[in-house]
Amino acid sequence: MTTDAGRDGIRDTESAPRTPEIAGDVILRLGGEVPEPVTLIRTLSGWGLGLRAAHETAGRLSRGETVPLGLTGAPARDDQRRILNGPGIGASFPEASAGPGGNTP
């Protein structure tokens, strides 16, 4: 079971319902210093991002970069937003294309 320490409001990442068809494809952004980098790194690594990649993601966010990620073990989108908003990270989810020649909603 993956957990993240308590005072920041991030709880057991295993308890959130998972929706495999939407896991991953999240875009994170934050301009400035990551307020709780250890919490963010633990959360991302618990969602399937390797520890090194999670650490690099925190560094990129602190430099003001927008970071797209594929998270294989992430909870549903609403839960991702709620959990990431605790440490102040903005999360958005690109819509999938409607297919060849299709429009993106």
Side-chain angles (χ1 to χ4, degrees), residues 61-84:
L61 288 169
S62 70
R63 292 189 298 273
E65 294 181 38
T66 298
V67 184
L69 297 174
L71 300 171
T72 59
R77 290 177 178 182
D78 287 342
D79 291 326
Q80 287 182 52
R81 276 193 191 101
R82 179 184 49 76
I83 291 167
L84 292 169

Side-chain angles (χ1 to χ4, degrees), residues 35-103:
E36 299 175 21
V38 173
T39 299
L40 176 63
I41 291 166
R42 287 180 179 167
T43 299
L44 294 176
S45 65
W47 289 350
L49 195 62
L51 186 57
R52 183 181 306 246
H55 191 276
E56 290 171 1
T57 297
R60 291 178 63 191
L61 288 169
S62 70
R63 292 189 298 273
E65 294 181 38
T66 298
V67 184
L69 297 174
L71 300 171
T72 59
R77 290 177 178 182
D78 287 342
D79 291 326
Q80 287 182 52
R81 276 193 191 101
R82 179 184 49 76
I83 291 167
L84 292 169
N85 282 338
I89 307 300
S92 61
F93 303 91
E95 295 298 323
S97 170
N103 294 325

Side-chain angles (χ1 to χ4, degrees), residues 3-58:
T3 59
D4 290 308
R7 73 179 170 94
D8 52 30
I10 293 181
R11 298 186 297 273
D12 177 3
T13 58
E14 297 294 324
S15 64
R18 300 192 186 280
T19 309
E21 64 273 10
I22 64 161
D25 300 325
V26 62
I27 299 173
L28 304 181
R29 70 181 67 69
L30 170 74
E33 185 177 329
V34 176
E36 299 175 21
V38 173
T39 299
L40 176 63
I41 291 166
R42 287 180 179 167
T43 299
L44 294 176
S45 65
W47 289 350
L49 195 62
L51 186 57
R52 183 181 306 246
H55 191 276
E56 290 171 1
T57 297

